[in-house]
Amino acid sequence: MLISELLEGLLGLFPADTAEPWDHVGLSVGRPDDEVRGVTVALDASEANVRRAAADGSNVLLTHHPVYIKAPQAFVPVSPAYPSSAAAVFAAVECGVSIISLHTNLDRSLEVRELLPSLVDLTAATSLECASNPEALGLGSLANASSNLTLEQLASRCVVAFGCSPRVWGDPDRTLGRVAFLGGSMGDFGELALACGADAIVTGEGGYHVCQDLLVRGCSVILLGHDRSEEPFVDILVDALARVGFSGPIATIKNPHQWWTYTKGERA
C-alpha cells in the first residue's frame, strides 16, 4: 500500500470536508508515492513521536492532533525561536517519516460520538452539535443516563475509564438525566449542552469562569484533561488502519503525561 492510498482510504472514512475550516488534516509532510512499511499511531504529532515512529521502523506517523494548525515560518531543529511544530516537521523529513493527521474530521465521526459515552457505560443518542438530527455527523455526544446515576458515580467511572483524577464541578449527589461529552477543549460547547438539557458535560478542559457559569446555570462539569479525553481516539485510528486494508506493522504510543506531570504529593 502506498502512503497516498492509505491517505485516500482514511479520508474516505473521515472526510476532510467535515473538518473545521481552520483545521489542518491529512498529509502534512512525507512522500505520497512511498510504500507504507509500518504505521505508528499516537495522539500528538510531536518531534518525540516522530523519532519514536522511526525507531519502531514505521515510515508513517498517524495522529489525531495535527503537527500544526498554522505553519511556522521555517522548519528547523529545536530552537527557542520557533514553535515545536517546526522541529517535528524537520525531524519527520530527517527521519523519512510521513505525518498524517485526522483531527476535527475524526471528532465529527460516528465512531468518536459513540466511543466516549461507551467508556462510562452510557450510549450516545445523538451528537451534541446536531442534537435534533441523530443521523447527522457532528461534534460531541449526548447520552441519556439512568435516573439513579449521580455526578459522583459518573466521575468515578471516568477515573477508571480515562485513568485520570478529573476536576468535578457540581453537587456529587446530583442525579443526571442527560450527559454531554466532548473530547479536547470545551470552548463554547457548554452552551450547546445547556440548550440540549444536559445535566452535566464530560470534556477535556474548560476555562474556570466558563465552568463556574455553567454550574450556576444548571450544568455540572467533569474535566478529564485534554489528552486523557482524547487518547482513546488512538484505538479508533488503529481500527481505521484495518478498515482501509493495511495489514503491515502497527505500533501505538500512549503516554498520558507526555507534556506535563503530577507533583509527588498528587501522585501519592
Side-chain angles (χ1 to χ4, degrees):
M1 176 179 284
L2 300 180
I3 290 175
S4 60
E5 294 171 334
L6 175 62
L7 176 65
E8 182 180 10
L10 292 171
L11 292 181
L13 296 177
F14 309 105
D17 62 6
T18 64
E20 290 291 302
W22 48 261
D23 203 1
H24 180 73
V25 301
L27 182 68
S28 295
V29 58
R31 295 180 180 272
D33 295 333
D34 279 0
E35 289 279 347
V36 182
R37 298 190 302 274
V39 181
T40 292
V41 187
L43 179 65
D44 296 315
S46 64
E47 181 198 11
N49 286 349
V50 168
R51 298 194 182 280
R52 167 70 180 276
D56 290 336
S58 301
N59 65 334
V60 174
L61 175 63
L62 176 61
T63 67
H64 177 50
H65 292 145
V67 66
Y68 55 77
I69 299 298
K70 180 180 179 181
Q73 292 182 338
F75 298 103
V76 299
V78 173
S79 165
Y82 293 91
S84 61
S85 58
V89 173
F90 184 89
V93 174
E94 187 178 47
C95 297
V97 173
S98 298
I99 300 175
I100 297 175
S101 304
L102 306 175
H103 191 210
T104 52
N105 51 334
L106 183 68
D107 288 333
R108 277 200 170 86
S109 68
L110 181 63
E111 291 84 349
V112 165
R113 179 200 302 181
E114 294 178 340
L115 178 61
L116 293 184
S118 73
L119 294 175
V120 292
D121 299 323
L122 296 178
T123 301
T126 184
S127 74
L128 180 56
E129 188 176 40
C130 303
S132 62
N133 184 359
E135 303 301 318
L137 296 179
L139 296 172
S141 311
L142 276 173
N144 295 319
S146 72
S147 59
N148 296 322
L149 180 67
T150 67
L151 181 63
E152 183 175 30
Q153 290 170 334
L154 178 59
S156 295
R157 293 184 188 183
C158 288
V159 170
V160 175
F162 296 95
C164 64
S165 299
R167 177 171 289 183
V168 183
W169 293 72
D171 178 359
D173 296 325
R174 181 186 184 188
T175 56
L176 309 174
R178 176 173 277 191
V179 180
F181 295 81
L182 184 72
S185 297
M186 178 168 56
D188 58 4
F189 271 67
E191 295 299 321
L192 283 182
L194 279 171
C196 294
D199 299 304
I201 182 168
V202 178
T203 187
E205 59 185 346
Y208 175 86
H209 294 292
V210 172
C211 294
Q212 185 181 57
D213 180 67
L214 289 173
L215 181 59
V216 169
R217 296 164 66 196
C219 185
S220 299
V221 182
I222 297 178
L223 301 179
L224 304 171
H226 192 121
D227 53 346
R228 301 309 294 134
S229 73
E230 293 187 324
E231 193 165 60
F233 298 175
V234 169
D235 295 327
I236 294 176
L237 294 174
V238 170
D239 180 66
L241 291 171
R243 291 169 63 191
V244 300
F246 178 70
S247 58
I250 299 172
T252 59
I253 299 173
K254 288 190 175 182
N255 185 356
H257 305 126
Q258 178 177 351
W259 300 106
W260 55 278
T261 187
Y262 290 113
T263 66
K264 290 182 180 179
E266 286 173 322
R267 283 202 301 270

